[in-house]
Amino acid sequence: MKSLAELQKIKERMKDRVVLREGTGDIRVVVGMATCGIAAGARPVLNEFVKDVSEEGLSDKVTVSQTGCIGICQFEPVVEVFEAGKDKVTYVKMNSDKAKEVVERHLKGGKVIEEYTIGAYQV
Amino acid sequence: MVRSQVLICGGTGCTSSGSPKLQAEFEKQLELNGLSDEIKLVRTGCFGLCALGPVVIVYPDGTFYSRVEEKDVQEIVEEHLLKGRPVERLVYADTGEETAKAKVETALNETRFYKAQNRVVLRNCGVIDPENIDEYIAMDGYAALGKVLTEMTPEDVIKCISDSGLRGRGGGGFPTGRKWALCAPNKAPQKYVVCNADEGDPGAFMDRSVLEGDPHCIIEAMAIAGYAIGATKGFVYVRAEYPIAVKRLTIAIAQAREYGLLGKNIFDSGFDFDLQIRLGAGAFVCGEETALMTSIEGNRGEPRPRPPYPAVRGLYNSPTVENNVETFANVPQIILRGADWFASMGTERSKGTKVFALGGKIEHTGLVEIPMGTPLRTIIEDIGGGIPNGKKFKAVQTGGPSGGCIPNSLIDTEVDYDNLTAIGCMMGSGGMIVMDEDSCMVDMAKFFLNFTVDESCGKCTPCRVGTRRLMEILEKITSGKGELEDIDRLESLCQYIKENSLCGLGQTAPNPVLATIKFFRDEYVAHVVDKKCPAGVCKDLLTYVIDKEKCIGCGMCARNCPANAIARTDYTAPGHKLASFAIDAAKCIKCGACLANCKFKAISKQ
């Protein structure tokens, strides 16, 4: 190693790995991963979130986590987005394509995708 | 793509309570469930809560599992990692929390154990994999060395450390910046940086944990010190009894060399620095700086007179800076975050934080780091969780065999160098042993003195002979043959040893005796005048008696007595069918087996 730039490069490369341990970011994405969720296909959704958040460079402010059964099994896979000072957003009947969209439009763009939320289904 | 990480503590405490087996089991279970690609296992250094080991922490949610056994791993993998349901029965329950829900939501940093702490030295311990240099770099590792070599002059570095107010964490409290400044101007063909990792106090494990959990930060700090004083070689003197620390440090040095962070022309600055490890054979006196250097040179570890100080003539007669592990661990942070940041923590004359190894009669045995000036009560009651089994706090012993004790009446003392010195105690390197009402202070003084009698190197008569004479007087007192004059004799001999010994070992060896006489003179008097040990520890002053009215004559005591000292009498208490038993005091060896086996509380010690 002959320069600070090289040191910085290693730091960048490793950042994703340790940022996970620095506590939660501003936004928390929680995927329901109980039996009902997994059976309905929550695993690819979770993996898509983890992959996209990292690829889009959102690891600093977004934490992707999992939880158990939320209690609305007919709507699984369910994804909830928590953001400090804002109402919780609950996305239902998710798949990996929708997950990609949520990362792009909601987490990055800051706009809730109304048609995927539980509100759209209940009406 | 990794979505979750499982951190398993690989400190000495958790390693001995079985964490290597857990790691193997986790690997197996993750493989079985097809999770190996998305969940990463990381073995870290000490988390600090050694009493609850082995500990496992799952990120990103930060769920903290304690006392995890091999058989629990399957459940954690299948329930938590696969389905996202933390295994509640294993989640560390903060004392005071009641509902299971509250327990699970107790994030690590919110627990009473961690809340009052401020982790500067231990910031990476339990967070990074100590055997992976990349993880250290990700946490700003080697950035301080880079900054020093590219932006700062050696004078800048010394000024920064001086301004921060950092003082030696090995016990003496000498200002680190001044130490470096004294060494820097001395011209010599070769200068040295030495790291003192010869942590020898019974009950202390701060330095070990830093070396095990964050070895690269010591390497980085030593290189910074080398640049500041103009040294190109360094030695880490570490005890051979610390195998995990030695192994991780060896790995870390090899990785740093491979990356060119040790060796020639670091960061293309023209600065060369390299390190070697020297293993100590475990002599306490080698923690004294001049004895340590003599030992590195290959000689028998004995101290020599100062001056000349090591800054002028140290290792191999060359100018040398020697600092303790914890002192070094502060250095990279001070460089990166500035002297003002460091000086903003702590008290007027003691800046920053201090790591303590909490042990003895305390709920949370482990490693804690607090800002200087934190009241002792916070350490014992909040972080330490108080005294187990509802017993009363009696005193805390700090500074090991060189230190003194702080009694209950001074529990609100704010811990820093000057306050502890003012009450006749000392900061020491950070061992903190808590004693409850069942601890005898005379016996405690005897314990530490026994240690210094063994560890005195023998060079000076006051220490070699004096400590042994002190020991004999203490033995006389605890065996019930003491006289009141013995207490005065102890005090005057203590003063003599303090004043006439060459090195820190002898100068501080009488401290445990002096401090206990100062704060617990009544206990000494009880031993001497009443021939009683109030705490019920000193065997020669105890008698075990059976209350003949309570004894139902079952004979459990007699069957368990190893000395055949208990026999049946002719007396049968009213209401009982069998004759009672009695102890023959002449035969009794005071082992306490009868007391432990009596189900009817008929036996007591007096």
Side-chain angles (χ1 to χ4, degrees):
Chain A
M1 176 148 348
K2 284 294 161 236
S3 69
L4 288 178
E6 281 176 68
L7 193 69
Q8 191 61 25
K9 227 159 61 194
I10 297 175
K11 193 178 158 187
E12 291 297 327
R13 176 162 60 77
M14 294 299 292
K15 209 172 84 183
D16 272 3
R17 192 153 136 190
V18 291
V19 83
L20 215 53
R21 298 172 214 162
E22 288 187 322
T24 47
D26 305 338
I27 305 177
R28 211 150 59 87
V29 176
V30 179
V31 183
M33 286 277 284
T35 307
C36 47
I38 295 174
R43 173 162 292 286
V45 173
L46 177 68
N47 290 343
E48 188 69 32
F49 269 112
V50 171
K51 184 168 130 286
D52 293 352
V53 163
S54 167
E55 283 176 2
E56 298 288 341
L58 297 170
S59 304
D60 275 350
K61 55 175 215 172
V62 180
T63 310
V64 181
S65 181
Q66 50 175 358
T67 186
C69 182
I70 296 171
I72 40 172
C73 308
Q74 73 272 31
F75 288 118
E76 293 284 1
V78 173
V79 172
E80 293 184 303
V81 179
F82 297 87
E83 194 170 351
K86 291 189 186 167
D87 286 342
K88 172 177 84 177
V89 179
T90 306
Y91 290 113
V92 298
K93 292 190 184 281
M94 292 293 284
N95 57 37
S96 47
D97 291 340
K98 288 183 178 175
K100 209 176 182 62
E101 245 181 285
V102 168
V103 173
E104 192 59 38
R105 286 166 59 189
H106 183 172
L107 303 183
K108 221 176 145 187
K111 240 179 107 53
V112 177
I113 310 174
E114 298 289 346
E115 61 265 37
Y116 298 161
T117 62
I118 192 164
Y121 281 84
Q122 274 175 335
V123 180
Chain B
M1 190 60 66
V2 176
R3 67 170 163 90
S4 178
Q5 294 177 345
V6 178
L7 274 59
I8 303 173
C9 177
T12 292
C14 289
T15 298
S16 57
S17 58
S19 68
K21 274 190 196 156
L22 287 186
Q23 188 173 1
E25 185 65 16
F26 263 109
E27 275 164 19
K28 192 175 122 199
Q29 291 296 337
L30 289 178
E31 185 71 42
L32 276 177
N33 286 286
L35 295 171
S36 304
D37 290 338
E38 26 188 304
I39 294 175
K40 186 176 161 46
L41 284 179
V42 182
R43 193 176 52 166
T44 68
C46 184
F47 283 83
L49 257 177
C50 310
L52 297 172
V55 297
V56 169
I57 184 162
V58 179
Y59 283 106
D61 38 321
T63 308
F64 188 68
Y65 291 117
S66 60
R67 292 208 176 99
V68 181
E69 293 176 40
E70 218 177 330
K71 63 179 171 53
D72 301 324
V73 171
Q74 188 178 357
E75 193 178 347
I76 295 179
V77 172
E78 288 178 359
E79 284 297 306
H80 187 166
L81 301 178
L82 195 61
K83 298 178 188 163
R85 291 190 291 237
V87 183
E88 292 186 7
R89 66 180 177 88
L90 295 171
V91 173
Y92 166 57
D94 202 354
T95 29
E97 297 290 348
E98 283 183 359
T99 63
K101 185 81 183 155
K103 280 182 198 170
V104 172
E105 287 177 356
T106 303
L108 188 57
N109 294 329
E110 293 299 310
T111 61
R112 281 168 71 198
F113 181 75
Y114 287 104
K115 212 170 182 172
Q117 296 196 42
N118 184 356
R119 302 197 141 205
V120 176
V121 170
L122 300 176
R123 74 193 173 102
N124 285 336
C125 286
V127 178
I128 62 165
D129 177 353
E131 297 182 11
N132 185 336
I133 188 171
D134 289 350
E135 291 206 0
Y136 179 66
I137 292 173
M139 300 303 245
D140 287 328
Y142 292 105
L145 181 62
K147 181 176 172 186
V148 161
L149 294 184
T150 53
E151 297 170 19
M152 295 169 83
T153 64
E155 294 74 35
D156 292 340
V157 177
I158 292 173
K159 182 167 187 314
C160 177
I161 299 297
S162 299
D163 289 349
S164 74
L166 176 66
R167 292 168 68 174
R169 296 291 192 252
F174 192 81
T176 307
R178 201 190 305 162
K179 203 179 223 180
W180 293 12
L182 286 171
C183 187
N186 300 319
K187 297 269 179 284
Q190 179 68 58
K191 296 185 189 178
Y192 296 98
V193 177
V194 175
C195 175
N196 183 346
D198 190 68
E199 185 174 47
D201 308 13
F205 49 93
M206 302 75 54
D207 297 345
R208 188 193 73 204
S209 296
V210 172
L211 286 177
E212 288 175 0
D214 199 9
H216 282 285
C217 96
I218 301 302
I219 297 175
E220 183 179 9
M222 289 180 72
I224 292 170
Y227 176 72
I229 65 159
T232 56
K233 277 192 186 155
F235 289 93
V236 182
Y237 188 88
V238 54
R239 309 169 77 74
E241 289 103 320
Y242 283 179
I244 301 178
V246 173
K247 180 182 150 221
R248 299 212 175 128
L249 191 60
T250 309
I251 293 171
I253 291 176
Q255 288 174 340
R257 281 196 190 126
E258 196 183 313
Y259 272 24
L261 295 164
L262 283 177
K264 298 265 176 228
N265 196 17
I266 301 168
F267 284 120
D268 214 11
S269 63
F271 172 65
D272 305 339
F273 191 77
D274 209 349
L275 272 184
Q276 288 183 32
I277 299 177
R278 284 286 182 274
L279 296 186
F284 184 57
V285 73
C286 290
E288 199 280 337
E289 61 176 4
T290 59
L292 186 150
M293 290 172 193
T294 316
S295 178
I296 291 180
E297 290 164 4
N299 301 315
R300 176 183 167 141
E302 282 184 347
R304 58 163 182 74
R306 295 176 300 183
Y309 285 93
V312 183
R313 279 180 64 180
L315 190 59
Y316 300 114
N317 285 324
S318 307
T320 303
V321 153
E322 185 196 316
N323 284 120
N324 143 285
V325 171
E326 192 186 331
T327 316
F328 275 128
N330 280 296
V331 168
Q333 289 285 298
I334 294 173
I335 298 288
L336 279 182
R337 299 168 79 167
D340 292 342
W341 162 78
F342 191 79
S344 71
M345 296 180 290
T347 58
E348 198 192 334
R349 297 193 52 221
S350 306
K351 300 300 185 190
T353 63
K354 179 79 192 84
V355 183
F356 287 101
L358 266 184
K361 305 285 180 64
I362 187 122
E363 202 64 60
H364 298 149
T365 306
L367 201 63
V368 307
E369 180 171 354
I370 45 129
M372 292 277 190
T374 303
L376 191 59
R377 187 186 293 280
T378 309
I379 305 176
I380 308 278
E381 292 180 0
D382 291 344
I383 302 175
I387 318 292
N389 304 322
K391 299 275 184 184
K392 274 211 291 288
F393 171 80
K394 183 174 196 172
V396 61
Q397 214 279 343
T398 66
S402 314
C405 60
I406 306 170
N408 195 15
S409 57
L410 294 171
I411 194 175
D412 288 310
T413 305
E414 293 176 347
V415 175
D416 72 3
Y417 290 103
D418 305 308
N419 285 345
L420 291 192
T421 310
I423 58 172
C425 203
M426 73 182 273
M427 180 80 92
S429 57
M432 208 174 242
I433 299 167
V434 181
M435 281 163 290
D436 68 4
E437 52 191 307
D438 292 341
S439 311
C440 167
M441 301 316 281
V442 185
D443 187 64
M444 189 217 70
K446 214 170 83 178
F447 170 82
F448 282 113
L449 206 61
N450 193 24
F451 180 83
T452 35
V453 167
D454 277 352
E455 294 292 344
S456 170
C457 76
K459 186 166 180 165
C460 319
T461 314
C463 172
R464 182 186 69 242
V465 181
T467 52
R468 187 163 292 276
R469 292 290 96 84
L470 282 179
M471 187 68 190
E472 285 165 2
I473 300 175
L474 285 177
E475 274 167 356
K476 189 176 160 198
I477 292 176
T478 55
S479 64
K481 300 185 188 104
E483 310 154 30
L484 265 180
E485 293 76 30
D486 285 333
I487 304 179
D488 302 330
R489 278 189 201 114
L490 277 177
E491 283 182 308
S492 63
L493 183 52
C494 282
Q495 285 307 338
Y496 184 83
I497 297 172
K498 274 175 91 84
E499 285 160 17
N500 293 291
S501 297
L502 171 64
C503 83
L505 195 158
Q507 286 160 7
T508 59
N511 283 354
V513 181
L514 283 173
T516 47
I517 294 182
K518 182 173 171 195
F519 294 118
F520 296 95
R521 183 178 272 268
D522 54 334
E523 271 191 42
Y524 279 84
V525 173
H527 281 77
V528 172
V529 178
D530 311 332
K531 310 291 177 201
K532 292 263 184 260
C533 175
V537 173
C538 300
K539 280 186 182 171
D540 291 338
L541 300 176
L542 291 179
T543 36
Y544 285 85
V545 233
I546 299 177
D547 182 341
K548 61 182 181 178
E549 303 302 328
K550 282 190 190 161
C551 175
I552 68 147
C554 68
M556 275 306 280
C557 52
R559 278 200 293 284
N560 282 291
C561 178
N564 285 327
I566 308 181
R568 198 182 289 279
T569 62
D570 303 332
Y571 177 80
T572 308
H576 292 161
K577 291 200 179 78
L578 297 168
S580 67
F581 281 79
I583 299 170
D584 180 351
K587 284 189 191 165
C588 176
I589 56 164
K590 297 163 189 177
C591 64
C594 52
L595 180 72
N597 280 291
C598 180
K599 293 195 175 68
F600 304 94
K601 297 199 167 99
I603 305 179
S604 59
K605 52 181 180 181
Q606 288 169 359

